[in-house]
Amino acid sequence: MDSVKILTVDVPDHMIRELEQMAERESKRLGKGVTADQLAKKAIRIYIRHMKERQKENLR
């Protein structure tokens, strides 16, 4: 099982508002509730995956 680590990030207010607006648009688009927290978690997972891919490319 993977270990769980807590990540704390300071985010400017304008970015929080933008994330909340994005969540609202996604909720309407998908027809179900999407929170800003869910979007942030997904963005972090995508970023980590991208960085791992980049690291593999640099090792070649």
Side-chain angles (χ1 to χ4, degrees), residues 2-3 7 9-11 17 19 23 26 33 45-47 49-50:
D2 292 334
S3 64
L7 174 67
V9 181
D10 290 327
V11 180
R17 285 190 297 276
L19 193 57
E26 282 295 296
R45 285 193 300 270
I46 291 169
Y47 179 76
R49 183 177 42 212
H50 175 74

PDB file of all heavy atoms in Angstrom, residues 2-3 7 9-11 17 19 23 26 33 45-47 49-50:
ATOM      1  N   ASP A   2       0.481   2.254  -0.749  1.00  0.00           N
ATOM      2  CA  ASP A   2       1.245   3.500  -0.826  1.00  0.00           C
ATOM      3  C   ASP A   2       1.111   4.280   0.473  1.00  0.00           C
ATOM      4  O   ASP A   2       0.060   4.278   1.104  1.00  0.00           O
ATOM      5  CB  ASP A   2       0.732   4.376  -1.972  1.00  0.00           C
ATOM      6  CG  ASP A   2       1.025   3.755  -3.331  1.00  0.00           C
ATOM      7  OD1 ASP A   2       1.988   2.986  -3.432  1.00  0.00           O
ATOM      8  OD2 ASP A   2       0.288   4.057  -4.285  1.00  0.00           O
ATOM      9  N   SER A   3       2.180   4.939   0.848  1.00  0.00           N
ATOM     10  CA  SER A   3       2.101   5.795   2.026  1.00  0.00           C
ATOM     11  C   SER A   3       1.411   7.102   1.647  1.00  0.00           C
ATOM     12  O   SER A   3       1.424   7.520   0.496  1.00  0.00           O
ATOM     13  CB  SER A   3       3.496   6.070   2.581  1.00  0.00           C
ATOM     14  OG  SER A   3       4.249   6.802   1.650  1.00  0.00           O
ATOM     15  N   LEU A   7       0.263  17.408   1.933  1.00  0.00           N
ATOM     16  CA  LEU A   7       0.908  18.511   1.235  1.00  0.00           C
ATOM     17  C   LEU A   7       0.134  19.781   1.535  1.00  0.00           C
ATOM     18  O   LEU A   7      -1.069  19.835   1.342  1.00  0.00           O
ATOM     19  CB  LEU A   7       0.907  18.249  -0.278  1.00  0.00           C
ATOM     20  CG  LEU A   7       1.409  19.354  -1.172  1.00  0.00           C
ATOM     21  CD1 LEU A   7       2.906  19.576  -0.939  1.00  0.00           C
ATOM     22  CD2 LEU A   7       1.156  18.992  -2.626  1.00  0.00           C
ATOM     23  N   VAL A   9      -0.132  23.813   0.719  1.00  0.00           N
ATOM     24  CA  VAL A   9       0.301  24.792  -0.270  1.00  0.00           C
ATOM     25  C   VAL A   9      -0.424  26.107  -0.027  1.00  0.00           C
ATOM     26  O   VAL A   9      -1.632  26.123   0.201  1.00  0.00           O
ATOM     27  CB  VAL A   9      -0.029  24.300  -1.695  1.00  0.00           C
ATOM     28  CG1 VAL A   9       0.428  25.295  -2.734  1.00  0.00           C
ATOM     29  CG2 VAL A   9       0.570  22.936  -1.949  1.00  0.00           C
ATOM     30  N   ASP A  10       0.304  27.210  -0.049  1.00  0.00           N
ATOM     31  CA  ASP A  10      -0.311  28.533   0.026  1.00  0.00           C
ATOM     32  C   ASP A  10      -0.680  28.962  -1.385  1.00  0.00           C
ATOM     33  O   ASP A  10       0.165  28.992  -2.280  1.00  0.00           O
ATOM     34  CB  ASP A  10       0.658  29.553   0.626  1.00  0.00           C
ATOM     35  CG  ASP A  10       0.914  29.309   2.105  1.00  0.00           C
ATOM     36  OD1 ASP A  10      -0.010  28.839   2.786  1.00  0.00           O
ATOM     37  OD2 ASP A  10       2.024  29.595   2.566  1.00  0.00           O
ATOM     38  N   VAL A  11      -1.965  29.270  -1.568  1.00  0.00           N
ATOM     39  CA  VAL A  11      -2.461  29.651  -2.885  1.00  0.00           C
ATOM     40  C   VAL A  11      -3.101  31.033  -2.765  1.00  0.00           C
ATOM     41  O   VAL A  11      -3.912  31.260  -1.870  1.00  0.00           O
ATOM     42  CB  VAL A  11      -3.502  28.628  -3.393  1.00  0.00           C
ATOM     43  CG1 VAL A  11      -4.021  29.023  -4.752  1.00  0.00           C
ATOM     44  CG2 VAL A  11      -2.902  27.228  -3.428  1.00  0.00           C
ATOM     45  N   ARG A  17     -10.364  31.564  -6.185  1.00  0.00           N
ATOM     46  CA  ARG A  17     -11.615  31.949  -6.847  1.00  0.00           C
ATOM     47  C   ARG A  17     -11.702  31.334  -8.245  1.00  0.00           C
ATOM     48  O   ARG A  17     -12.745  30.825  -8.650  1.00  0.00           O
ATOM     49  CB  ARG A  17     -11.745  33.464  -6.924  1.00  0.00           C
ATOM     50  CG  ARG A  17     -12.113  34.108  -5.597  1.00  0.00           C
ATOM     51  CD  ARG A  17     -12.479  35.569  -5.762  1.00  0.00           C
ATOM     52  NE  ARG A  17     -11.373  36.387  -6.257  1.00  0.00           N
ATOM     53  CZ  ARG A  17     -10.416  36.905  -5.501  1.00  0.00           C
ATOM     54  NH1 ARG A  17     -10.430  36.723  -4.193  1.00  0.00           N
ATOM     55  NH2 ARG A  17      -9.464  37.640  -6.030  1.00  0.00           N
ATOM     56  N   LEU A  19     -10.216  28.592  -9.288  1.00  0.00           N
ATOM     57  CA  LEU A  19     -10.416  27.158  -9.117  1.00  0.00           C
ATOM     58  C   LEU A  19     -11.873  26.843  -8.774  1.00  0.00           C
ATOM     59  O   LEU A  19     -12.456  25.897  -9.306  1.00  0.00           O
ATOM     60  CB  LEU A  19      -9.480  26.636  -8.022  1.00  0.00           C
ATOM     61  CG  LEU A  19      -9.311  25.133  -7.900  1.00  0.00           C
ATOM     62  CD1 LEU A  19      -8.836  24.522  -9.207  1.00  0.00           C
ATOM     63  CD2 LEU A  19      -8.342  24.821  -6.776  1.00  0.00           C
ATOM     64  N   ALA A  23     -14.510  24.655 -10.983  1.00  0.00           N
ATOM     65  CA  ALA A  23     -15.273  23.547 -10.397  1.00  0.00           C
ATOM     66  C   ALA A  23     -16.753  23.711 -10.703  1.00  0.00           C
ATOM     67  O   ALA A  23     -17.445  22.734 -11.029  1.00  0.00           O
ATOM     68  CB  ALA A  23     -15.036  23.490  -8.892  1.00  0.00           C
ATOM     69  N   GLU A  26     -17.290  22.777 -14.350  1.00  0.00           N
ATOM     70  CA  GLU A  26     -17.195  21.334 -14.522  1.00  0.00           C
ATOM     71  C   GLU A  26     -18.429  20.634 -13.966  1.00  0.00           C
ATOM     72  O   GLU A  26     -18.916  19.662 -14.545  1.00  0.00           O
ATOM     73  CB  GLU A  26     -15.938  20.780 -13.838  1.00  0.00           C
ATOM     74  CG  GLU A  26     -14.677  21.009 -14.624  1.00  0.00           C
ATOM     75  CD  GLU A  26     -14.687  20.259 -15.954  1.00  0.00           C
ATOM     76  OE1 GLU A  26     -14.722  19.017 -15.953  1.00  0.00           O
ATOM     77  OE2 GLU A  26     -14.677  20.921 -17.002  1.00  0.00           O
ATOM     78  N   GLY A  33     -21.753  17.150  -8.940  1.00  0.00           N
ATOM     79  CA  GLY A  33     -20.927  18.067  -8.152  1.00  0.00           C
ATOM     80  C   GLY A  33     -19.439  17.800  -8.256  1.00  0.00           C
ATOM     81  O   GLY A  33     -18.987  16.673  -8.075  1.00  0.00           O
ATOM     82  N   ARG A  45      -1.967  15.321  -9.249  1.00  0.00           N
ATOM     83  CA  ARG A  45      -1.659  13.985  -9.790  1.00  0.00           C
ATOM     84  C   ARG A  45      -1.123  14.086 -11.220  1.00  0.00           C
ATOM     85  O   ARG A  45      -0.149  13.425 -11.575  1.00  0.00           O
ATOM     86  CB  ARG A  45      -2.899  13.094  -9.750  1.00  0.00           C
ATOM     87  CG  ARG A  45      -3.238  12.582  -8.372  1.00  0.00           C
ATOM     88  CD  ARG A  45      -4.265  11.462  -8.419  1.00  0.00           C
ATOM     89  NE  ARG A  45      -5.514  11.868  -9.024  1.00  0.00           N
ATOM     90  CZ  ARG A  45      -6.548  12.391  -8.378  1.00  0.00           C
ATOM     91  NH1 ARG A  45      -6.478  12.574  -7.079  1.00  0.00           N
ATOM     92  NH2 ARG A  45      -7.650  12.723  -9.023  1.00  0.00           N
ATOM     93  N   ILE A  46      -1.750  14.933 -12.035  1.00  0.00           N
ATOM     94  CA  ILE A  46      -1.299  15.120 -13.416  1.00  0.00           C
ATOM     95  C   ILE A  46       0.111  15.709 -13.440  1.00  0.00           C
ATOM     96  O   ILE A  46       0.968  15.273 -14.213  1.00  0.00           O
ATOM     97  CB  ILE A  46      -2.284  16.009 -14.199  1.00  0.00           C
ATOM     98  CG1 ILE A  46      -3.600  15.251 -14.415  1.00  0.00           C
ATOM     99  CG2 ILE A  46      -1.690  16.460 -15.531  1.00  0.00           C
ATOM    100  CD1 ILE A  46      -4.727  16.121 -14.934  1.00  0.00           C
ATOM    101  N   TYR A  47       0.360  16.682 -12.586  1.00  0.00           N
ATOM    102  CA  TYR A  47       1.681  17.316 -12.530  1.00  0.00           C
ATOM    103  C   TYR A  47       2.763  16.307 -12.132  1.00  0.00           C
ATOM    104  O   TYR A  47       3.832  16.257 -12.743  1.00  0.00           O
ATOM    105  CB  TYR A  47       1.654  18.485 -11.541  1.00  0.00           C
ATOM    106  CG  TYR A  47       2.976  19.175 -11.402  1.00  0.00           C
ATOM    107  CD1 TYR A  47       3.437  20.034 -12.387  1.00  0.00           C
ATOM    108  CD2 TYR A  47       3.779  18.951 -10.294  1.00  0.00           C
ATOM    109  CE1 TYR A  47       4.665  20.659 -12.273  1.00  0.00           C
ATOM    110  CE2 TYR A  47       5.002  19.572 -10.171  1.00  0.00           C
ATOM    111  CZ  TYR A  47       5.440  20.428 -11.156  1.00  0.00           C
ATOM    112  OH  TYR A  47       6.662  21.035 -11.038  1.00  0.00           O
ATOM    113  N   ARG A  49       2.668  13.033 -12.478  1.00  0.00           N
ATOM    114  CA  ARG A  49       2.838  12.093 -13.588  1.00  0.00           C
ATOM    115  C   ARG A  49       3.701  12.722 -14.686  1.00  0.00           C
ATOM    116  O   ARG A  49       4.612  12.086 -15.231  1.00  0.00           O
ATOM    117  CB  ARG A  49       1.477  11.680 -14.125  1.00  0.00           C
ATOM    118  CG  ARG A  49       1.564  10.643 -15.231  1.00  0.00           C
ATOM    119  CD  ARG A  49       0.214  10.192 -15.696  1.00  0.00           C
ATOM    120  NE  ARG A  49      -0.680  11.329 -15.807  1.00  0.00           N
ATOM    121  CZ  ARG A  49      -1.989  11.280 -15.598  1.00  0.00           C
ATOM    122  NH1 ARG A  49      -2.573  10.171 -15.282  1.00  0.00           N
ATOM    123  NH2 ARG A  49      -2.723  12.358 -15.724  1.00  0.00           N
ATOM    124  N   HIS A  50       3.440  13.983 -14.991  1.00  0.00           N
ATOM    125  CA  HIS A  50       4.217  14.688 -16.015  1.00  0.00           C
ATOM    126  C   HIS A  50       5.692  14.784 -15.611  1.00  0.00           C
ATOM    127  O   HIS A  50       6.588  14.567 -16.438  1.00  0.00           O
ATOM    128  CB  HIS A  50       3.625  16.082 -16.238  1.00  0.00           C
ATOM    129  CG  HIS A  50       4.410  16.931 -17.168  1.00  0.00           C
ATOM    130  ND1 HIS A  50       4.434  16.735 -18.527  1.00  0.00           N
ATOM    131  CD2 HIS A  50       5.235  17.984 -16.934  1.00  0.00           C
ATOM    132  CE1 HIS A  50       5.234  17.626 -19.081  1.00  0.00           C
ATOM    133  NE2 HIS A  50       5.725  18.394 -18.143  1.00  0.00           N
TER     134      HIS A  50
END
